[in-house]
Structures are given as structure tokens and as C-alpha cells.
Amino acid sequence: MSRSSDISAGAPAGAGPGPVTADDVDLAVQSCLAMLRQAPPDGGAAAWGGKAGSLEWSCWETAEHLADDLFAYAVQIGPRTPPLTRDVPFVWRRTTPGGPANVVFAERDAGAEGLVQVLDACGALLTAMVRTASPEVRAHHGFGVSDPEGFAAMGVVETLVHAHDLALGLGLPWEPPAGPCARALARLFPDAPDGEAPWPALLWATGRGELPGRPRLTSWRWYGEPR
């Protein structure tokens, strides 16, 4: 078992789950990719054209959106002087009404294999940027100016919850890696309920599930600021 898949990662008893690392991003992305490689190889409506879980987006659009998230977080901490009040000004556009606004799109003619490769590349980009960026770096995000660890946690959350959406939409089994889930939950959701397992708590915190005595959220956010 890798250290990133171990929730405690050697932490003393009573300590938190530890910081989110580049290894956590890589493990989350590779887990998602392994699941997606079991999906039908074509990009047709029967599989990739269906909705992803509770989202209004298709599975193809959701995978593109996830790749775009990972790309966006990587480039946000990339400049020598990252922006503190806005996103790096790439052009975002929609290719379908109601679809996600992305910078990154996969070539349809490359099929699902190409789509998965695009996601793999964007995940590797964020992993590399988190691994090499100074901990002192700060960059803008709509939920608060954050640091490389915060952007790593955002990438982990995006990957885990959208892998969940995609697994539901594609009818595939999938389990999140425990360590990245616990660490990203602790980093971004300080108000997550105590005493709950990290994965159900993360699904609840992102509006995808219910917990005992707690209805499904209809709006949610995370808190990316360094603490």
C-alpha cells in the first residue's frame, strides 16, 4: 500500500490526516483513470453520451470538465507571479448549450481512449506543479486565495466526486482511495461533520449524498485559504 492510500500516513494518534500532496493528486487521478478504462471504448450516446450521475452533463462532458479543472488548477499556480484577483486569462467556451465552459476539450475522433489520455495528461500537469511549486506560492480561486496544497486538495476533490459521477453514469464499480479523500476533506471542508467516514462526508459536503440527520445539500462550497 502506498503512503498516499493510508489515511494516517504514520501520523501520531489523535493527529489529523496530514497535508494533501502531489502523490494524493496522482493516486486520485490514477484511480479514476483505471475505472474509466473499463468503460466502452466508443464515445457513443449509449455510454459516454448518457448523464453522469446526478449531473446534467454527459459522461463525456464531465470527463472533459474534470480534465479542465486539473489543467486550470495547475496553470493557476504556474506563473512566476500568480494572479491574486482573477484566473489566468485563458479563453473558456462551451461547445454545447448547458455544457461546461472549458479551456480543455478532447478530440471526439480519438474516442474514449483519447479522452482518458487527455485526463491523464492534465492530472500529470497538476501533480507536477504541486510537487515543484514553493509552499509560499499564493494564487486566486473563487473560494479564496490558496496555496499549492489547497490546489492539490481541490484537484483531489474534483477527481473523486466526478469519478463518482462517472462511475454512476457508466455503470462501473469504483471506490475512492481513502487517504487522499480524508486529507482533502480535512483541508477544504473544516465544517464537515465529525464522526463520519471521510467518503460519505465528502459526498455530503459536495451535495451528492445524505448523512444521518442531515439532508442532501442544495448548495455548497469549500474553503481553500491556507490555515
Side-chain angles (χ1 to χ4, degrees), residues 91-173:
V91 175
W92 292 8
R93 61 187 177 90
R94 302 180 194 275
T95 58
T96 58
N102 294 348
V103 174
V104 173
F105 295 92
E107 174 57 61
R108 288 274 181 169
D109 289 346
E113 182 179 356
L115 174 63
V116 170
Q117 189 173 61
V118 167
L119 178 56
D120 192 2
C122 290
L125 183 60
L126 179 59
T127 298
M129 287 304 306
V130 171
R131 199 179 304 281
T132 57
S134 167
E136 304 305 314
V137 165
R138 298 292 183 269
H140 168 79
H141 185 274
F143 289 162
V145 171
S146 196
D147 58 353
E149 187 207 351
F151 282 97
M154 295 176 211
V156 168
V157 168
E158 296 280 7
T159 301
L160 298 186
V161 299
H162 286 314
H164 170 75
D165 299 330
L166 288 161
L168 291 176
L170 295 167
L172 296 172

Side-chain angles (χ1 to χ4, degrees), residues 33-227:
L33 293 171
M35 179 266 292
L36 292 179
R37 290 184 178 117
Q38 302 174 53
D42 62 58
W48 289 93
K51 289 185 178 180
S54 61
L55 303 182
E56 292 300 316
W57 299 333
S58 71
C59 290
W60 184 282
E61 290 172 328
T62 300
E64 282 185 329
H65 165 77
L66 173 55
D68 190 77
D69 281 336
L70 298 172
F71 170 86
Y73 297 153
V75 299
Q76 195 66 10
I77 58 175
R80 291 290 181 92
T81 305
L84 296 176
T85 59
R86 58 167 173 78
D87 295 325
V88 175
F90 289 92
V91 175
W92 292 8
R93 61 187 177 90
R94 302 180 194 275
T95 58
T96 58
N102 294 348
V103 174
V104 173
F105 295 92
E107 174 57 61
R108 288 274 181 169
D109 289 346
E113 182 179 356
L115 174 63
V116 170
Q117 189 173 61
V118 167
L119 178 56
D120 192 2
C122 290
L125 183 60
L126 179 59
T127 298
M129 287 304 306
V130 171
R131 199 179 304 281
T132 57
S134 167
E136 304 305 314
V137 165
R138 298 292 183 269
H140 168 79
H141 185 274
F143 289 162
V145 171
S146 196
D147 58 353
E149 187 207 351
F151 282 97
M154 295 176 211
V156 168
V157 168
E158 296 280 7
T159 301
L160 298 186
V161 299
H162 286 314
H164 170 75
D165 299 330
L166 288 161
L168 291 176
L170 295 167
L172 296 172
W174 181 75
E175 288 291 333
C181 177
R183 287 186 277 276
L185 179 71
R187 175 63 172 82
L188 295 181
F189 297 94
D191 296 329
D194 294 330
E196 301 288 348
W199 179 231
L202 183 60
L203 289 177
W204 175 83
T206 56
R208 287 168 169 80
E210 298 180 1
L211 292 174
R214 297 176 183 270
R216 183 187 295 259
L217 297 178
T218 57
S219 64
W220 58 272
R221 60 158 293 176
W222 60 52
Y223 295 85
E225 300 91 338
R227 292 188 296 279

